[in-house]
Amino acid sequence: MANQSNFQMKVTEGKLGYVLQDVPHLTDYIPNLPTYPNPLRSNPAYSVAKQYFVDMDDSVPQKIVVHKDSPRGVHFRRAGPRQKVYFTPEEVNACIVTCGGLCPGLNTVIREIVHSLDYMYGATKVLGIDGGYRGFYSKNTKPLSPKIVNDIHKRGGTILGTSRGGHDTTKIVDSIQDRGINQVYIIGGDGTQKGAAVIYEEIRKRGLKVIVAGIPKTIDNDISVIDKSFGFDTAVEEAQRAINAAHVEAESAENGIGVVKLMGRYSGFIAMYATLASRDVDCCLIPESPFYLEGQGGLFEYITKRLKENGHMVIVVAEGAGMDLLSAKNEQDASGNKLLQDIGLWLSQRIKEHFSKQQKLPITLKYIDPTYMIRAIPSNASDNVYCTLLAQSAVHGAMSGFTGFTSGLVNGRHTYIPFNRITEQQNKVVITDRMWARLLSSTNQPSFLGRKQLDEAKKEQESQSQLMDDAAIIADAKTGNRIKK
């Protein structure tokens, strides 16, 4: 059997190139822990299920499109309840914290963690940490019960409050230890998950029987490995209202232009999917695809062409697009994110200035920024279901003794993913992929890329694919030891 793994990931090899990138378990550093029969055995809700416990060997492949000679590649442990648990209901003392920016679905996740602990496992002691990471050591906690959280999914925001920064590992783990907390549920984006990984490592060093489970939250959908993050569907749906308003304004004026700025600091998924869903957008600009304004093939030329053909147009721009065109701003927020200038306002002004010089083509431009309206709404039906399953998966994993993991959807199956895989890189739109080609054909906009830029983008994508393939063959010494089956 295998040696113990590094802190954040265990790597197991099987036949035919199978590699399981497994999450840590309490027994990796606390031997001889007692186990108990899963309370779901006697739960009436689960008595109708033919197979309600997940096999310990079940795993989910990261790469689903393969060739006949492809190795089986990287897999993740399948989420779900196990036959044995490592906590009695009376022993559980859980806490929930939300960090970073707002996102539709935060309250749904909080609600479902509380309900799952109580209704599935009979665990009733749950605390809400007020105000993000710093709430562990500088603010009060809130007791959470099914009655208290029953209707919170109908509200936007988070009942626990949130903040950026404030991560002091020693103070946080001291607070966890002093309060007797043994299950920590952390809801947040990649920065938050990096913080969760550090908290897990400190807890492990101290030898504490404490679970650290992450639920990935980013409205931009920029967390890698997982299919999508919760709140994304809601954001795309709500963005339709802003795009529709811009279209109505543009269509109602002579040479009308509607400009809509959507979220997406580094990844243009919301802008791309909202554009594809709307069918009223003539041009979509995202961070991954550079563009230019002046000259042949530039944005101004395309706007002139569309106005002459159609009499109006709608432009969607992600907040992180075109940053190379703006003067650098070396400021950061509390989470370490670079503060971006308003590309929507800048672009609108430049368009106005350009066409004010073109007396033959006067324009009417309306600029709409729905960012905070989108972030603040409750999640839609699709995201509510997704949030429920993410929360239930996290609770099942925690009760089964898994720790140092993020609950996430991979190829349509819920899995447990090691923290380091979630935080190693950001998920971005691949502009040499078919999805971006579909958008270009839908809007009929130019790609704004020359042959040299396209070749560079293809090389970068091939390099990333090679790195993924290499990970299936060689386990990084920093992230795990190999375990041969």
Side-chain angles (χ1 to χ4, degrees):
M1 200 91 171
N3 303 321
Q4 282 197 345
S5 74
N6 188 316
F7 276 2
Q8 286 196 28
M9 186 168 73
K10 298 185 292 189
V11 179
T12 305
E13 284 184 3
K15 297 178 180 179
L16 304 176
Y18 171 93
V19 177
L20 173 64
Q21 293 187 344
D22 203 0
V23 298
H25 194 274
L26 286 175
T27 54
D28 293 340
Y29 64 96
I30 307 177
N32 304 318
L33 279 175
T35 60
Y36 312 93
N38 195 318
L40 290 177
R41 291 170 179 267
S42 55
N43 188 313
Y46 278 77
S47 63
V48 297
K50 182 179 179 181
Q51 176 62 38
Y52 52 88
F53 291 125
V54 173
D55 191 286
M56 287 299 288
D57 287 333
D58 280 1
S59 62
V60 178
Q62 179 179 6
K63 193 174 181 180
I64 199 168
V65 179
V66 296
H67 303 291
K68 62 180 182 179
D69 298 323
S70 299
R72 293 180 63 190
V74 172
H75 287 61
F76 300 108
R77 184 171 289 277
R78 184 183 175 193
R82 265 62 180 178
Q83 296 272 1
K84 299 287 185 180
V85 295
Y86 285 77
F87 296 88
T88 63
E90 300 76 24
E91 181 187 2
V92 172
N93 187 12
C95 75
I96 306 170
V97 64
T98 53
C99 305
L102 294 182
C103 175
L106 283 168
N107 280 332
T108 306
V109 175
I110 294 167
R111 179 188 189 274
E112 295 310 321
I113 291 173
V114 174
H115 277 241
S116 297
L117 284 167
D118 192 321
Y119 294 167
M120 291 183 182
Y121 290 98
T124 58
K125 290 182 286 186
V126 187
L127 291 174
I129 304 299
D130 188 7
Y133 275 136
R134 62 172 52 90
F136 276 102
Y137 54 85
S138 66
K139 292 195 176 185
N140 294 326
T141 59
K142 301 176 181 179
L144 300 176
S145 67
K147 184 176 181 181
I148 290 172
V149 302
N150 192 50
D151 292 324
I152 64 172
H153 62 292
K154 299 174 184 176
R155 304 181 226 162
T158 164
I159 63 162
L160 299 180
T162 185
S163 67
R164 298 187 184 277
H167 190 282
D168 187 316
T169 306
T170 302
K171 287 183 179 180
I172 291 171
V173 179
D174 285 347
S175 175
I176 290 169
Q177 195 169 359
D178 293 344
R179 295 177 189 273
I181 293 169
N182 51 25
Q183 292 186 10
V184 183
Y185 296 93
I186 300 175
I187 310 168
D190 58 344
T192 300
Q193 301 302 313
K194 287 176 183 175
V198 176
I199 291 170
Y200 158 69
E201 290 185 1
E202 179 61 24
I203 284 171
R204 178 165 177 158
K205 286 176 185 175
R206 298 189 189 188
L208 305 177
K209 186 186 177 184
V210 178
I211 299 294
V212 180
I215 294 93
K217 175 234 61 166
T218 167
I219 201 168
D220 293 349
N221 196 38
D222 59 0
I223 289 181
S224 63
V225 180
I226 63 175
D227 293 354
K228 65 177 179 178
S229 51
F230 74 81
F232 175 70
D233 280 355
T234 306
V236 171
E237 184 177 302
E238 186 67 10
Q240 303 302 296
R241 296 176 61 187
I243 292 173
N244 183 60
H247 183 250
V248 170
E249 288 284 354
E251 199 175 31
S252 301
E254 182 181 2
N255 295 323
I257 299 174
V259 177
V260 180
K261 186 184 79 172
L262 297 176
M263 289 152 293
R265 295 178 61 86
Y266 307 110
S267 303
F269 287 102
I270 292 178
M272 180 173 72
Y273 277 83
T275 294
L276 283 167
S278 124
R279 302 291 174 179
D280 287 331
V281 179
D282 299 283
C283 185
C284 177
L285 305 172
I286 61 172
E288 296 89 340
S289 184
F291 66 95
Y292 56 98
L293 303 179
E294 311 273 358
Q296 185 176 359
L299 181 61
F300 290 156
E301 182 183 80
Y302 176 61
I303 292 173
T304 302
K305 177 174 177 286
R306 289 300 290 163
L307 290 179
K308 288 180 177 178
E309 291 173 348
N310 238 21
H312 67 276
M313 78 175 296
V314 175
I315 301 171
V316 166
V317 57
E319 63 181 316
M323 285 299 117
D324 56 313
L325 303 176
L326 280 69
S327 57
K329 189 175 183 180
N330 297 318
E331 298 177 31
Q332 295 181 333
D333 63 19
S335 296
N337 298 313
K338 184 179 178 182
L339 291 175
L340 303 178
Q341 296 188 57
D342 192 329
I343 182 64
L345 276 176
W346 179 86
L347 184 61
S348 298
Q349 189 60 37
R350 289 299 308 273
I351 293 171
K352 288 178 182 177
E353 290 172 357
H354 175 79
F355 284 97
S356 67
K357 300 172 184 175
Q358 309 291 323
Q359 299 298 326
K360 296 178 181 178
L361 195 63
I363 65 165
T364 301
L365 188 145
K366 303 295 184 184
Y367 172 51
I368 299 174
D369 179 359
T371 300
Y372 293 103
M373 295 175 65
I374 292 174
R375 284 172 24 135
I377 64 171
S379 52
N380 64 9
S382 171
D383 272 324
N384 267 334
V385 173
Y386 186 30
C387 289
T388 299
L389 299 181
L390 285 173
Q392 289 184 359
S393 294
V395 170
H396 289 318
M399 293 299 295
S400 301
F402 296 111
T403 184
F405 70 87
T406 294
S407 168
L409 195 69
V410 177
N411 292 323
R413 295 285 184 175
H414 286 266
T415 65
Y416 300 136
I417 306 166
F419 280 139
N420 62 293
R421 286 304 316 275
I422 287 289
T423 59
E424 65 188 359
Q425 64 182 20
Q426 286 184 310
N427 188 31
K428 294 188 176 184
V429 174
V430 179
I431 60 171
T432 56
D433 199 5
R434 280 194 294 257
M435 203 62 180
W436 185 243
R438 292 179 183 121
L439 179 139
L440 295 178
S441 63
S442 172
T443 61
N444 203 29
Q445 72 185 66
S447 70
F448 302 111
L449 295 175
R451 173 54 54 189
K452 182 179 178 182
Q453 290 170 308
L454 278 171
D455 289 343
E456 288 174 354
K458 287 179 180 177
K459 284 179 182 177
E460 183 179 352
Q461 178 59 18
E462 287 169 2
S463 175
Q464 290 177 354
S465 298
Q466 185 62 47
L467 285 173
M468 285 179 59
D469 292 340
D470 289 346
I473 301 169
I474 303 173
D476 192 326
K478 293 181 180 179
T479 54
N481 300 320
R482 281 196 173 279
I483 304 171
K484 298 259 186 184
K485 275 189 173 180

